[in-house]
């Protein structure tokens, strides 16, 4: 690989990384001087801004990626009570860069106040939002007109009456177990009808609120054609509705679960 241009080598090395970018980055940089140089000089290796890591690590990320997009991640330990000492400092630091946020992933039991604070910031380039709570079902609001490529919610819900979600490529809803926090079936059908590029659709233990109109739509409405859909998971939903919904989704590449 010594003869490869740095840009091509960076592309190859990035393909070998997983969600733990800092660990992968450190491992790759130890291989040889060339890899070390490529890793530390390529902004894409420094896109993940982790709020749960040390303040110095976050500062280095922003130093090595001063202008590129940022993937903001906050992983809260299940047994951690309250905010870690460095978290508020990191939050203030990353807030100043909110116009560069490309994605926001919150995992663990983060207070509704903190979530609202993060989501109320100016985030014009945010196109991926994943919130994975573990214990308490929480509902929050999105900015009017907010749209995403990817939306993932686990034991956490948005105000479904406000956003106009469209052009989604990934929709993952898990454990929205009451009709007060899950989307109505009619709202889900609306989202699917304006998201023709859907690639992943996962609905697990979602208490879809079913009215006469939405039930008729599932039974007699048009099919949904998703040329790019490769994963469909439907579980823990009323059997008749789940069966009808799956039958209406047409996707040649899809594997159903």
């Amino acid at each position: 690989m010594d003869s490869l241009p740095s840009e091509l080598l960076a592309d190859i090395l990035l393909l070998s990384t997983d969600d733990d970018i800092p660990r992968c980055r450190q491992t790759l940089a130890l291989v040889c001087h060339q890899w070390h140089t490529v890793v530390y000089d390529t902004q894409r290796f420094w896109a993940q801004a982790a709020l749960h890591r040390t303040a110095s690590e976050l500062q280095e990320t922003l130093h090595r990626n001063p202008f590129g997009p940022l993937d903001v991640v906050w992983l809260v330990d299940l047994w951690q009570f309250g905010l870690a000492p460095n978290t508020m400092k990191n939050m203030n630091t990353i807030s100043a860069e909110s116009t560069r946020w490309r994605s926001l992933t919150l995992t663990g039991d983060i207070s509704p106040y903190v979530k609202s604070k993060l989501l109320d910031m100016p985030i014009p380039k945010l196109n991926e939002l994943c919130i994975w709570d573990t214990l308490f079902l929480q509902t929050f609001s999105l900015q009017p007109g907010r749209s995403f490529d990817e939306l993932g919610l686990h034991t956490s819900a948005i105000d479904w009456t406000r956003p106009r979600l469209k052009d989604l490529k990934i929709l993952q809803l898990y454990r929205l177990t009451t009709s007060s926090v899950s989307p109505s079936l009619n709202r889900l059908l609306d989202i699917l009808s304006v998201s023709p590029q859907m690639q992943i659709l996962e609905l697990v233990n979602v208490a879809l609120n079913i009215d006469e109109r939405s039930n008729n739509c599932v039974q007699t409405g048009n099919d949904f054609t998703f040329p790019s859909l490769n994963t469909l998971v439907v579980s823990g939903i009323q059997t008749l509705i789940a069966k009808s919904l799956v039958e209406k989704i047409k996707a040649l590449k899809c594997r159903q679960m």
Side-chain angles (χ1 to χ4, degrees):
M1 289 192 177
D2 291 346
S3 61
L4 288 177
S6 296
E7 294 81 3
L8 180 56
L9 178 58
D11 290 339
I12 294 172
L13 296 181
L14 281 164
L15 289 174
S16 71
T17 61
D18 56 27
D19 291 340
D20 192 349
I21 298 296
R23 179 188 59 80
C24 295
R25 190 172 60 215
Q26 184 178 33
T27 300
L28 293 171
L30 291 174
V31 172
C32 64
H33 177 72
Q34 183 191 18
W35 286 26
H36 182 281
T37 301
V38 167
V39 166
Y40 277 80
D41 288 349
T42 302
Q43 286 192 11
R44 286 176 294 163
F45 274 105
W46 301 86
Q48 188 183 95
L51 300 185
H52 53 278
R53 295 187 179 273
T54 66
S56 60
E57 287 179 287
L58 180 58
Q59 289 290 354
E60 184 176 17
T61 295
L62 298 178
H63 171 72
R64 297 191 179 278
N65 179 13
F67 306 113
L70 294 171
D71 299 315
V72 180
V73 177
W74 190 355
L75 174 61
V76 176
D77 190 291
L78 177 62
W79 306 111
Q80 176 183 312
F81 296 94
L83 297 178
N86 64 298
T87 302
M88 288 307 299
K89 182 177 180 180
N90 284 348
M91 221 175 118
N92 291 333
T93 299
I94 204 64
S95 296
E97 308 291 338
S98 66
T99 57
R100 294 202 282 141
W101 295 7
R102 175 174 55 191
S103 67
L104 176 62
T105 301
L106 306 177
T107 302
D109 297 302
I110 300 170
S111 74
Y113 167 76
V114 173
K115 286 179 188 172
S116 298
K117 185 175 175 62
L118 290 169
L119 291 169
D120 285 344
M121 293 177 187
I123 42 178
K125 297 180 181 178
L126 190 76
N127 58 27
E128 297 177 15
L129 175 64
C130 296
I131 300 181
W132 305 98
D133 278 329
T134 56
L135 293 177
F136 305 109
L137 185 57
Q138 300 174 353
T139 302
F140 57 93
S141 297
L142 299 177
Q143 296 175 4
R146 184 72 263 169
S147 186
F148 304 98
D149 287 342
E150 177 178 348
L151 178 63
L153 300 173
H154 185 294
T155 323
S156 191
I158 62 174
D159 180 355
W160 296 101
T161 64
R162 293 186 60 186
R164 171 64 172 169
L165 295 172
K166 61 179 182 178
D167 297 325
L168 280 171
K169 295 179 181 177
I170 298 176
L171 178 61
Q172 298 168 301
L173 304 180
Y174 282 75
R175 292 186 61 191
L176 305 185
T177 53
T178 65
S179 58
S180 62
V181 296
S182 70
S184 67
L185 178 58
N186 194 51
R187 178 53 65 104
L188 175 62
L189 296 175
D190 285 343
I191 294 171
L192 295 180
S193 69
V194 291
S195 300
Q197 299 305 313
M198 187 75 72
Q199 298 171 9
I200 297 175
L201 176 60
E202 299 178 358
L203 307 170
V204 178
N205 294 331
V206 179
L208 296 173
N209 184 24
I210 303 169
D211 56 24
E212 184 176 352
R213 178 188 167 210
S214 56
N215 191 37
N216 289 337
C217 185
V218 169
Q219 298 295 334
T220 63
N222 295 329
D223 292 341
F224 301 102
T225 301
F226 299 123
S228 302
L229 189 71
N230 56 66
T231 301
L232 173 61
V233 179
V234 179
S235 177
I237 296 174
Q238 292 186 31
T239 303
L240 180 60
I241 295 300
K243 183 175 182 294
S244 300
L245 186 60
V246 170
E247 289 176 348
K248 284 198 164 297
I249 293 176
K250 309 300 179 185
L252 296 177
K253 298 179 181 179
C254 182
R255 55 185 178 89
Q256 297 181 2
M257 298 176 64

